Amino acid sequence: MVPTDRTALSRRLDGARTHAAGVADAIGARGAFLATCCVLLVVFYYPVGTVLVAAFTRGGDPSLAPLWATLTDPFYFGALAGALADPASVPGAIAEWAEAGFPAVRTGLFGFTAFLALLGTAGAVAVGLPGAYVLARYEFPGRETVRSLTVVPFVLPAIMVAVGFTTMFGTNGALNDVLSLVGLSVDVAFGLPIVVAALTFYNAPLVTRFVVAATETVDVRAVETARTLGAPRWRAVVDVVVPQVLPSFLAGVLIVFVFDFMAFPIVLALGGLRLATVEVWIYSLASDLRIPEAASLAVLEAAITLALTYVYLRVERRGGRDTATASVPRVPLLGPPSAGRLLALAYACIALVLYVGPLASMVAESLTRGGSLSAANYAFLLAQQLGSGGARPTVAVSNSLLFAVGAVALAVPMGVSVAVVTGGEGRLRRLSGALLMAPLAVSGVVTGIGLLRGLVFGVDLFGYHLAVTGPVAIVAAHAVGGYPFVVRNVAPLLARVEDDLVAAARTLGAGPTRAFRDVTLPLVAPGVVAGAAFAFAISVGEFNATIVLARDGASYTMPIALERYLSNPSVGPYLGPAAAMGTVLLVVTAASFVVVERLGGRWER
Amino acid sequence: MSLELAGVERAYGDATALRGVDLTVRDGEFFTLVGPSGCGKTTTLRCIAGLETPDAGAVRFDGTDVSGVPPEERDVGVVFQHYALFPMMTVRENVAYGLRFDPPAEKSVEDRVTELLALVDLEGMGGRDPDALSGGQRQRVALARALAPAPDVLLLDEPLSALDARLRDELRLELTRVQRELGVTTVYVTHDQSEALAVSDRLAVLNDGRVEQVGEPEAVYETPETRFVAAFLGENNCLDGRAVGGETKGSTVRVGDASFAVTGDHRGAVTCCVRPESMDVNATHNRFEARVADVEFLGDGYRVHFDWNGRSIVARLDDAPTGRVTLGFDPDEAVVLER
């Protein structure tokens, strides 16, 4: 008899080849792809390149001096800098250090950033892991909703989260309002605890998602086999479940650490320069136009985060990929009290305070003025008056929406053409895929600096001075940041379009373009819409590049205006306007979430 | 419309799929490409459809070279193995799709679609989604869709392989009925040799990117020209030996210690092929003794596996024997192939 698996294999091979050629021919996808590459070259690779080049040149000549200067500066690398500058002195220094009784070692800016990221990661694990346990172990009404809601914090604009935390935990926040009833008060505003809490808020759901997804790949029969072989329940869990979940958990921890390491808006808004991290310092240096120093820092930061990302990818690949035919059954959460159920309920209360608290405080703050219900804060958003920090609220709101529309209009064709062309197999396609997805891995601040230097300040080309305006650069940066999400949403649907469907349309008389329009496009439409909604949300919340590019109030977006409000002490006790704008951001993001969720889109990067 | 393939070659990277295929399909013929997986039959079909471009050689429609003509400009209808129905369209919209580009001259699109649905026994199913149909129904829709623009050539790529056995037989009969009714030139691809024998006017056996033999099913079955064809179409006992000739009306083939009389003049190394149904316990010629190794009951008889001095012999017998049995075959029944 003919081996059918070989038939299937050869058919698949044939299919992959003809599909790649067939679809790429369509819509002149190659033309759109080339256009996308040009756009990326102009608004990403060239600008980022000009920044990074600054780290490797001195006075126009190639040089490692700027990088070396940064590496050996104790301000950045603490004790390590001294060791690098003069390796011979290390033994002596260690002896001295031992003699002095092991005093605290200076860790420098990188050390502090790592420390902060470590705290944030610990917080994310402390909150995220129990959450994963509850979601994996218990069944309760609304479980699926909670599970899908765990993606929301991840896509909320970070600066809005900062506003939420200020209205909740700030000096005049909701927490102190409650505490003042019993005559107490806490002051956590603009300090390490509130930054760590906000980072936890942001990344704990990521840990939860990674772990829950991994537990769903555990086959109940493996656990049952262990039990029938004599393992007690706890032992079966340790021997069967833990090894399957561990790689995903470690991958989650690593990626959270990377995100925390690069965290920018939260640290800037809630910590200020007193809690400066590498990313904040890059921004600060760039604001003072100390580009070589900023570039050196950016290169070193990228080296660290890319190395960690590489490890993450290696670890993630080890994780279970199979889906269990029968997953481990969950226990009803509601039922006679047991230790587990009580702990789960206690956890639910803490999670409620951590997650609903800041958002609810923000919405409440936006709806009140002077202790009574009022729409005054929203009226302020519509007013033409000059807000604090040179931000006109109306301009910020309309800018945000306008830029987002522009970014979506650019990101969708870019994303679709990249998804079509990189959809096939092969080394070249994988390479081009990686190069095209690189914007995800490079800090927005660096992109912003590059765009500012390369395009807004202008370049001289063939005797012409070419420059683009700030808003155009902002839209470009947002599109670059958003299009990978279009790719991520469209590519899986595209892969599921059977090659023979397009072939069938062709043999029935449709040309390549027509076949793409009639067959492929309707089948990937949900992905396109989800990707567009995603790009919209990304644009509306984008902070890192925008804050560099928005040089004056006329091109401020909502997140930038929010940061101005938060950092301006003259705003004083009146967080209302900021809260109102934060609420608008929340509504826009939530609307995007609903669109994506309805269309079964992918939020994960 | 007649088809001609002349020296068609196609390679994928290092893997060669077609190594020079020459074929002629006559107007109105039901022509089958049969062979094991990877033999190049689907690639050949796709070259005819224009979904693949040959690296060398020509594909001719009625003598006109169509190389470089895209699929939408060739008048072909294709039925794909896994139906390839457009999931976002109803049955009616699927069947009507090809008519968007080639509207029927004398009647409305509506009437044409209704006519096609009637042809494949799917009256009244037009409003359904493909998802709501059974496998057999989907394949009928795919056939109706391919036939709707009245193509000159109908190409069928393993259209029945995804169906269960009973349905397969039923649809096979229907397929041949529809093809004869319309008289459309048809190329049918299958790996199933019994299907190929059952439906074809003529068939081509493909192996490793080459055509092994072309002919009417009976002719190819009864007089295979290569050992591959002998073994692939139906079952066969292929015994390697030496022909020594000498007899007045034929030759003698020595296989091991045995000598078999065969017709025709043969010399040197040969393979002597005898069908299981030609093996007979009551034969008067070419008798040899073999041991029963295994017996399978098939309903209308038995397939008996023998061990003959270390060689496997298969015979179709009416009764199940045991122990050692004397088998034989008529000299006319053996096909002798030079090695």
Side-chain angles (χ1 to χ4, degrees):
Chain A
M1 200 55 227
V2 183
T4 50
D5 53 344
R6 257 196 65 198
T7 320
L9 181 70
S10 66
R11 202 163 297 280
R12 217 175 306 141
L13 286 172
D14 287 1
R17 285 184 202 98
T18 49
H19 177 64
V23 180
D25 283 343
I27 55 157
R30 284 193 194 131
F33 178 74
L34 282 179
T36 299
C37 292
C38 290
V39 170
L40 282 178
L41 197 69
V42 173
V43 305
F44 181 74
Y45 282 101
Y46 169 70
V48 169
T50 62
V51 175
L52 300 186
V53 158
F56 295 102
T57 52
R58 171 159 289 180
D61 298 319
S63 161
L64 287 175
L67 220 51
W68 186 245
T70 306
L71 270 173
T72 53
D73 186 341
F75 175 77
Y76 294 126
F77 283 93
L80 192 62
L84 282 169
D86 184 8
S89 72
V90 170
I94 290 178
E96 238 173 72
W97 179 50
E99 246 166 64
F102 302 104
V105 176
R106 197 174 165 194
T107 54
L109 187 62
F110 275 87
F112 175 72
T113 307
F115 171 67
L116 189 63
L118 214 56
L119 287 181
T121 309
V125 171
V127 174
L129 204 52
Y133 179 78
V134 171
L135 280 176
R137 173 108 177 93
Y138 293 105
E139 187 59 68
F140 52 91
R143 181 184 166 278
E144 268 309 310
T145 311
V146 172
R147 193 184 184 293
S148 51
L149 279 177
T150 53
V151 302
V152 174
F154 189 62
V155 290
L156 288 178
I159 195 73
M160 190 215 82
V161 174
V163 174
F165 270 75
T166 313
T167 55
M168 174 84 177
F169 299 108
T171 318
N172 300 293
L175 186 66
N176 274 331
D177 289 350
V178 174
L179 288 176
S180 68
L181 295 177
V182 290
L184 291 171
S185 89
V186 291
D187 190 9
V188 291
F190 300 105
L192 192 62
I194 198 168
V195 171
V196 172
L199 290 177
T200 299
F201 172 97
Y202 224 47
N203 290 322
L206 212 57
V207 174
T208 305
R209 285 184 79 76
F210 268 83
V211 174
V212 170
T215 57
E216 279 165 3
T217 66
V218 176
D219 200 314
V220 67
R221 285 171 308 185
V223 180
E224 283 167 355
T225 307
R227 298 288 303 272
T228 59
L229 291 171
R233 205 178 83 83
W234 67 268
R235 190 61 203 268
V237 168
V238 168
D239 289 348
V240 178
V241 180
V242 170
Q244 280 200 55
V245 174
L246 201 59
S248 293
F249 171 68
L250 290 178
V253 167
L254 269 167
I255 202 73
V256 165
F257 184 85
V258 170
F259 286 156
D260 281 346
F261 195 87
M262 295 179 76
F264 178 54
I266 284 183
V267 184
L268 182 70
L270 294 177
L273 289 183
R274 286 183 299 138
L275 284 182
T277 58
V278 175
E279 187 84 2
V280 172
W281 206 250
I282 294 173
Y283 165 66
S284 164
L285 288 172
S287 303
D288 298 342
L289 294 179
R290 289 160 67 185
I291 301 298
E293 214 172 332
S296 310
L297 272 188
V299 167
L300 292 171
E301 185 202 43
I304 292 170
T305 52
L306 285 178
L308 287 171
T309 307
Y310 177 74
V311 177
Y312 155 76
L313 289 172
R314 291 296 298 267
V315 172
E316 193 204 24
R317 210 167 303 157
R318 290 217 323 260
R321 193 130 314 175
D322 317 327
T323 38
T325 42
S327 50
V328 181
R330 285 183 287 270
V331 181
L333 182 61
L334 306 173
S338 67
R341 287 193 173 117
L342 289 175
L343 282 174
L345 283 176
Y347 171 79
C349 293
I350 294 170
L352 214 62
V353 171
L354 183 65
Y355 283 96
V356 179
L359 301 181
S361 307
M362 183 180 72
V363 175
E365 183 75 30
S366 78
L367 290 169
T368 52
R369 175 160 290 184
S372 57
L373 211 59
S374 158
N377 295 319
Y378 289 93
F380 170 79
L381 288 190
L382 296 173
Q384 279 298 333
Q385 87 218 53
L386 199 62
S388 58
R392 285 178 195 275
T394 326
V395 173
V397 173
S398 63
N399 272 352
S400 272
L401 300 177
L402 218 61
F403 293 168
V405 169
V408 167
L410 205 53
V412 165
M414 283 170 74
V416 172
S417 65
V418 169
V420 166
V421 174
T422 60
E425 297 286 319
R427 187 177 287 267
L428 191 72
R429 282 164 199 286
R430 237 176 299 143
L431 179 73
S432 68
L435 285 176
L436 291 162
M437 295 307 272
L440 274 184
V442 174
S443 128
V445 172
V446 174
T447 313
I449 299 169
L451 281 168
L452 192 65
R453 273 164 52 91
L455 297 184
V456 179
F457 292 171
V459 284
D460 290 307
L461 205 64
F462 307 120
Y464 292 96
H465 183 74
L466 300 174
V468 298
T469 58
V472 173
I474 291 174
V475 168
H478 287 190
V480 168
Y483 95 91
F485 295 90
V486 179
V487 178
R488 287 285 160 98
N489 278 281
V490 173
L493 294 184
L494 208 53
R496 262 185 290 166
V497 177
E498 276 180 62
D499 321 324
D500 281 350
L501 284 180
V502 179
R506 293 293 301 277
T507 59
L508 288 167
T513 310
R514 187 67 193 264
F516 183 82
R517 205 184 80 198
D518 286 350
V519 178
T520 313
L521 213 50
L523 291 173
V524 301
V528 175
V529 178
F534 215 135
F536 192 86
I538 295 287
S539 169
V540 166
E542 212 285 336
F543 182 81
N544 302 18
T546 316
I547 194 165
V548 178
L549 288 167
R551 304 303 289 171
D552 57 61
S555 50
Y556 280 0
T557 60
M558 285 195 276
I560 307 307
L562 276 182
E563 196 273 336
R564 294 285 177 256
Y565 295 149
L566 280 183
S567 64
N568 192 331
S570 71
V571 175
Y574 300 112
L575 275 169
M581 196 175 272
T583 306
V584 173
L585 269 181
L586 177 64
V587 168
V588 171
T589 320
S592 306
F593 168 75
V594 170
V595 170
V596 175
E597 188 67 19
R598 274 289 149 83
L599 295 168
R602 299 186 158 200
W603 284 90
E604 285 86 353
R605 289 182 186 220
Chain B
M1 165 135 1
S2 69
L3 297 177
E4 192 187 344
L5 278 75
V8 171
E9 290 175 24
R10 181 81 174 98
Y12 300 114
D14 297 338
T16 303
L18 300 181
R19 305 167 189 274
V21 169
D22 298 288
L23 283 175
T24 306
V25 182
R26 297 169 195 147
D27 183 38
E29 189 173 42
F30 197 118
F31 191 89
T32 299
L33 299 172
V34 62
S37 69
C39 71
K41 54 194 188 298
T42 292
T43 307
T44 306
L45 193 84
R46 294 177 70 94
C47 285
I48 299 172
L51 295 167
E52 295 276 349
T53 309
D55 299 327
V59 177
R60 298 194 188 96
F61 282 20
D62 272 345
T64 313
D65 192 345
V66 293
S67 306
V69 178
E72 62 269 23
E73 285 165 31
R74 300 184 186 194
D75 233 343
V76 296
V78 184
V79 176
F80 294 87
Q81 183 175 14
H82 297 286
Y83 325 122
L85 297 180
F86 305 130
M88 64 288 183
M89 299 182 193
T90 62
V91 166
R92 183 163 275 281
E93 287 165 342
N94 263 285
V95 176
Y97 185 79
L99 302 174
R100 293 187 194 182
F101 310 100
D102 190 6
E106 281 150 25
K107 48 174 91 81
S108 69
V109 169
E110 280 295 290
D111 290 348
R112 177 69 181 153
V113 173
T114 307
E115 183 184 295
L116 262 301
L117 288 178
L119 182 73
V120 296
D121 278 341
L122 284 177
E123 295 102 328
M125 304 285 252
R128 303 235 185 142
D129 284 333
D131 286 350
L133 303 180
S134 70
Q137 288 171 329
R138 286 181 208 189
Q139 202 52 279
R140 286 164 203 252
V141 176
L143 180 62
R145 184 179 67 176
L147 289 171
D152 293 334
V153 180
L154 179 63
L155 305 173
L156 305 156
D157 186 6
E158 308 240 10
L160 307 179
S161 66
L163 305 172
D164 64 57
R166 194 174 291 270
L167 200 57
R168 202 153 56 211
D169 291 347
E170 193 185 309
L171 265 178
R172 193 167 70 189
L173 276 175
E174 185 153 333
L175 204 57
T176 43
R177 170 183 68 80
V178 168
Q179 194 268 341
R180 302 234 149 96
E181 223 171 287
L182 300 176
V184 58
T185 307
T186 301
V187 179
Y188 183 90
V189 159
T190 181
H191 65 266
D192 184 336
Q193 43 89 16
S194 62
E195 211 165 275
L197 292 172
V199 296
S200 320
D201 292 327
R202 289 193 309 144
L203 57 82
V205 181
L206 264 66
N207 182 35
D208 196 22
R210 286 195 186 86
V211 177
E212 293 265 340
Q213 191 173 350
V214 182
E216 287 170 15
E218 294 86 348
V220 180
Y221 184 86
E222 278 159 21
T223 52
E225 286 164 7
T226 66
R227 184 186 172 127
F228 177 82
V229 174
F232 183 78
L233 279 191
E235 261 184 311
N236 227 326
N237 295 296
C238 294
L239 304 167
D240 291 339
R242 291 196 68 79
V244 290
E247 301 215 355
T248 44
K249 288 204 302 176
S251 321
T252 301
V253 177
R254 301 196 63 85
V255 179
D257 298 337
S259 292
F260 296 130
V262 296
T263 53
D265 187 22
H266 302 284
R267 291 291 155 98
V270 295
T271 300
C272 178
C273 303
V274 185
R275 296 278 178 194
E277 57 269 28
S278 301
M279 293 286 181
D280 188 0
V281 286
N282 302 317
T284 50
H285 294 82
N286 296 333
R287 291 163 68 83
F288 60 95
E289 202 185 60
R291 188 178 56 80
V292 175
D294 229 326
V295 178
E296 293 172 89
F297 178 55
L298 301 179
D300 57 350
Y302 295 85
R303 180 191 283 132
V304 186
H305 299 262
F306 291 93
D307 177 75
W308 176 49
N309 301 332
R311 290 186 175 81
S312 296
I313 301 286
V314 182
R316 288 289 301 267
L317 303 174
D318 293 334
D319 301 300
T322 51
R324 298 192 74 84
V325 177
T326 301
L327 289 170
F329 58 90
D330 195 283
D332 292 340
E333 302 280 349
V335 173
V336 179
L337 303 169
E338 312 279 330
R339 274 195 287 148

